[in-house]
Amino acid sequence: MNLRVDLPAAVAAQRPLIACNDLGHVYDSGRGRTVALRNVSLTIAPGEFVCVLGPSGCGKTTLLNILAGFVAPSHGEVLVNDHRIAGPSSERGVVFQDYSLFPWLTAQANVEFGLRMEGRAASERRKVADELLRQVGLPDAGAKYPFELSGGMKQRVAIARALATKPALLLMDEPFAALDAMTRYALQSKLIDIQKQGAQTILFVTHNIAEALVLGSRLIVMSANPGCVVEDIPIELERPRRRTSPAFNELYDRVARAIGLDTAE
Ligand code: ADP
């Protein structure tokens, strides 16, 4: 199914940063074939904060991995600024649920890692890392190793590391799912600030409706078997967003119905 959707005029008028054209993906393992994605077409404009939501197994991670360049789609293509992607690139930064920091490097060195790979001078790397660690709220943690940091701190470092190379697109795969509620809320606020300051384009995978509605400017709802897009909804709630407002709850119910949850229960 290919969905045509009405995006806000300002977004629709922009040249897309990302275009997914008729993406499909099949995993073919010894135990059989799984159609993880079918007919997924969507564009993302610069500065959009797109949340992707859906039940387990609907292909969210597969879509993110294709956009990151970790997985080559079985069908279709991904264009970034009109150029077809052929693999991972520092223009697309990724933050995973399990932090994935290099345990043998300090927080500072973790943040500097991508810049080091790009061959940037030590003084420039230090300046960028200092600024990003400050931005994520860890100005004094640069010398610490990952084992010395809490889950929330590790994820702040992972966000700083992903932003260091100034990626055109930040891809986030359930980055706050393993955190306690207080830490999750704090990091959601931090991410909103970071997105606003840099007009960073973000694709954020979550299975939490409230999280998607707090963060996103747009919500892609997926369903499983085969994984496909069933709704593409602009989130036009005013910021700061209150989870208790009638507009928030109305949208929550609409999304819950789209993924087959009965909110009356
Ligand atoms: P989600 O992130 O929404 O939970 P995934 O993209 O992880 O969904 O998975 C989509 C479907 O593809 C699921 O049925 C899953 O079991 C299957 N799948 C994911 N990765 C693999 C893999 N490496 N090999 C075989 N099947 C896979």
PDB file of all heavy atoms in Angstrom, residues 245-257:
ATOM      1  N   SER A 245      -3.314  17.530  28.153  1.00  0.00           N
ATOM      2  CA  SER A 245      -4.220  18.437  27.429  1.00  0.00           C
ATOM      3  C   SER A 245      -5.210  17.628  26.590  1.00  0.00           C
ATOM      4  O   SER A 245      -4.903  16.526  26.126  1.00  0.00           O
ATOM      5  CB  SER A 245      -3.425  19.387  26.539  1.00  0.00           C
ATOM      6  OG  SER A 245      -2.974  18.705  25.393  1.00  0.00           O
ATOM      7  N   PRO A 246      -6.424  18.186  26.357  1.00  0.00           N
ATOM      8  CA  PRO A 246      -7.422  17.466  25.550  1.00  0.00           C
ATOM      9  C   PRO A 246      -6.901  17.163  24.144  1.00  0.00           C
ATOM     10  O   PRO A 246      -7.118  16.066  23.621  1.00  0.00           O
ATOM     11  CB  PRO A 246      -8.606  18.439  25.497  1.00  0.00           C
ATOM     12  CG  PRO A 246      -8.417  19.341  26.676  1.00  0.00           C
ATOM     13  CD  PRO A 246      -6.949  19.427  26.920  1.00  0.00           C
ATOM     14  N   ALA A 247      -6.170  18.122  23.517  1.00  0.00           N
ATOM     15  CA  ALA A 247      -5.680  17.899  22.157  1.00  0.00           C
ATOM     16  C   ALA A 247      -4.695  16.731  22.128  1.00  0.00           C
ATOM     17  O   ALA A 247      -4.706  15.908  21.206  1.00  0.00           O
ATOM     18  CB  ALA A 247      -5.010  19.168  21.629  1.00  0.00           C
ATOM     19  N   PHE A 248      -3.847  16.658  23.167  1.00  0.00           N
ATOM     20  CA  PHE A 248      -2.864  15.567  23.254  1.00  0.00           C
ATOM     21  C   PHE A 248      -3.609  14.224  23.344  1.00  0.00           C
ATOM     22  O   PHE A 248      -3.303  13.265  22.625  1.00  0.00           O
ATOM     23  CB  PHE A 248      -1.977  15.781  24.487  1.00  0.00           C
ATOM     24  CG  PHE A 248      -0.771  14.890  24.551  1.00  0.00           C
ATOM     25  CD1 PHE A 248       0.469  15.342  24.143  1.00  0.00           C
ATOM     26  CD2 PHE A 248      -0.878  13.584  25.031  1.00  0.00           C
ATOM     27  CE1 PHE A 248       1.598  14.512  24.196  1.00  0.00           C
ATOM     28  CE2 PHE A 248       0.235  12.752  25.086  1.00  0.00           C
ATOM     29  CZ  PHE A 248       1.474  13.226  24.671  1.00  0.00           C
ATOM     30  N   ASN A 249      -4.618  14.195  24.215  1.00  0.00           N
ATOM     31  CA  ASN A 249      -5.334  12.928  24.418  1.00  0.00           C
ATOM     32  C   ASN A 249      -6.144  12.502  23.201  1.00  0.00           C
ATOM     33  O   ASN A 249      -6.254  11.312  22.904  1.00  0.00           O
ATOM     34  CB  ASN A 249      -6.232  13.037  25.656  1.00  0.00           C
ATOM     35  CG  ASN A 249      -5.396  12.933  26.924  1.00  0.00           C
ATOM     36  OD1 ASN A 249      -4.614  12.002  27.058  1.00  0.00           O
ATOM     37  ND2 ASN A 249      -5.525  13.897  27.821  1.00  0.00           N
ATOM     38  N   GLU A 250      -6.662  13.507  22.488  1.00  0.00           N
ATOM     39  CA  GLU A 250      -7.419  13.201  21.263  1.00  0.00           C
ATOM     40  C   GLU A 250      -6.507  12.517  20.251  1.00  0.00           C
ATOM     41  O   GLU A 250      -6.862  11.499  19.642  1.00  0.00           O
ATOM     42  CB  GLU A 250      -7.925  14.529  20.690  1.00  0.00           C
ATOM     43  CG  GLU A 250      -9.222  14.419  19.929  1.00  0.00           C
ATOM     44  CD  GLU A 250      -9.673  15.814  19.555  1.00  0.00           C
ATOM     45  OE1 GLU A 250     -10.132  16.571  20.457  1.00  0.00           O
ATOM     46  OE2 GLU A 250      -9.512  16.163  18.384  1.00  0.00           O
ATOM     47  N   LEU A 251      -5.306  13.113  20.075  1.00  0.00           N
ATOM     48  CA  LEU A 251      -4.365  12.552  19.118  1.00  0.00           C
ATOM     49  C   LEU A 251      -3.885  11.176  19.588  1.00  0.00           C
ATOM     50  O   LEU A 251      -3.728  10.244  18.787  1.00  0.00           O
ATOM     51  CB  LEU A 251      -3.182  13.522  18.959  1.00  0.00           C
ATOM     52  CG  LEU A 251      -2.320  13.376  17.712  1.00  0.00           C
ATOM     53  CD1 LEU A 251      -3.155  13.298  16.443  1.00  0.00           C
ATOM     54  CD2 LEU A 251      -1.345  14.564  17.623  1.00  0.00           C
ATOM     55  N   TYR A 252      -3.674  11.050  20.899  1.00  0.00           N
ATOM     56  CA  TYR A 252      -3.247   9.766  21.467  1.00  0.00           C
ATOM     57  C   TYR A 252      -4.263   8.678  21.091  1.00  0.00           C
ATOM     58  O   TYR A 252      -3.900   7.596  20.644  1.00  0.00           O
ATOM     59  CB  TYR A 252      -3.132   9.908  22.991  1.00  0.00           C
ATOM     60  CG  TYR A 252      -2.517   8.709  23.678  1.00  0.00           C
ATOM     61  CD1 TYR A 252      -1.213   8.765  24.158  1.00  0.00           C
ATOM     62  CD2 TYR A 252      -3.237   7.522  23.842  1.00  0.00           C
ATOM     63  CE1 TYR A 252      -0.635   7.660  24.774  1.00  0.00           C
ATOM     64  CE2 TYR A 252      -2.666   6.420  24.445  1.00  0.00           C
ATOM     65  CZ  TYR A 252      -1.375   6.495  24.915  1.00  0.00           C
ATOM     66  OH  TYR A 252      -0.811   5.404  25.519  1.00  0.00           O
ATOM     67  N   ASP A 253      -5.541   8.990  21.256  1.00  0.00           N
ATOM     68  CA  ASP A 253      -6.579   8.001  20.955  1.00  0.00           C
ATOM     69  C   ASP A 253      -6.581   7.635  19.473  1.00  0.00           C
ATOM     70  O   ASP A 253      -6.744   6.470  19.099  1.00  0.00           O
ATOM     71  CB  ASP A 253      -7.958   8.545  21.348  1.00  0.00           C
ATOM     72  CG  ASP A 253      -8.156   8.496  22.858  1.00  0.00           C
ATOM     73  OD1 ASP A 253      -7.368   7.815  23.534  1.00  0.00           O
ATOM     74  OD2 ASP A 253      -9.086   9.156  23.354  1.00  0.00           O
ATOM     75  N   ARG A 254      -6.380   8.647  18.616  1.00  0.00           N
ATOM     76  CA  ARG A 254      -6.372   8.385  17.173  1.00  0.00           C
ATOM     77  C   ARG A 254      -5.233   7.421  16.820  1.00  0.00           C
ATOM     78  O   ARG A 254      -5.424   6.470  16.066  1.00  0.00           O
ATOM     79  CB  ARG A 254      -6.208   9.708  16.412  1.00  0.00           C
ATOM     80  CG  ARG A 254      -6.063   9.507  14.931  1.00  0.00           C
ATOM     81  CD  ARG A 254      -5.956  10.820  14.183  1.00  0.00           C
ATOM     82  NE  ARG A 254      -5.468  10.571  12.841  1.00  0.00           N
ATOM     83  CZ  ARG A 254      -5.091  11.520  12.002  1.00  0.00           C
ATOM     84  NH1 ARG A 254      -5.165  12.795  12.353  1.00  0.00           N
ATOM     85  NH2 ARG A 254      -4.659  11.211  10.789  1.00  0.00           N
ATOM     86  N   VAL A 255      -4.062   7.678  17.410  1.00  0.00           N
ATOM     87  CA  VAL A 255      -2.898   6.832  17.108  1.00  0.00           C
ATOM     88  C   VAL A 255      -3.109   5.434  17.694  1.00  0.00           C
ATOM     89  O   VAL A 255      -2.818   4.424  17.054  1.00  0.00           O
ATOM     90  CB  VAL A 255      -1.608   7.474  17.669  1.00  0.00           C
ATOM     91  CG1 VAL A 255      -0.420   6.544  17.470  1.00  0.00           C
ATOM     92  CG2 VAL A 255      -1.349   8.823  17.003  1.00  0.00           C
ATOM     93  N   ALA A 256      -3.653   5.384  18.918  1.00  0.00           N
ATOM     94  CA  ALA A 256      -3.892   4.078  19.553  1.00  0.00           C
ATOM     95  C   ALA A 256      -4.839   3.240  18.692  1.00  0.00           C
ATOM     96  O   ALA A 256      -4.622   2.037  18.505  1.00  0.00           O
ATOM     97  CB  ALA A 256      -4.469   4.278  20.952  1.00  0.00           C
ATOM     98  N   ARG A 257      -5.855   3.894  18.144  1.00  0.00           N
ATOM     99  CA  ARG A 257      -6.786   3.150  17.270  1.00  0.00           C
ATOM    100  C   ARG A 257      -6.058   2.660  16.025  1.00  0.00           C
ATOM    101  O   ARG A 257      -6.271   1.538  15.565  1.00  0.00           O
ATOM    102  CB  ARG A 257      -7.977   4.025  16.888  1.00  0.00           C
ATOM    103  CG  ARG A 257      -9.070   4.050  17.961  1.00  0.00           C
ATOM    104  CD  ARG A 257     -10.372   4.623  17.415  1.00  0.00           C
ATOM    105  NE  ARG A 257     -10.203   5.975  16.891  1.00  0.00           N
ATOM    106  CZ  ARG A 257     -10.245   7.087  17.626  1.00  0.00           C
ATOM    107  NH1 ARG A 257     -10.458   7.005  18.932  1.00  0.00           N
ATOM    108  NH2 ARG A 257     -10.091   8.265  17.066  1.00  0.00           N
TER     109      ARG A 257
END
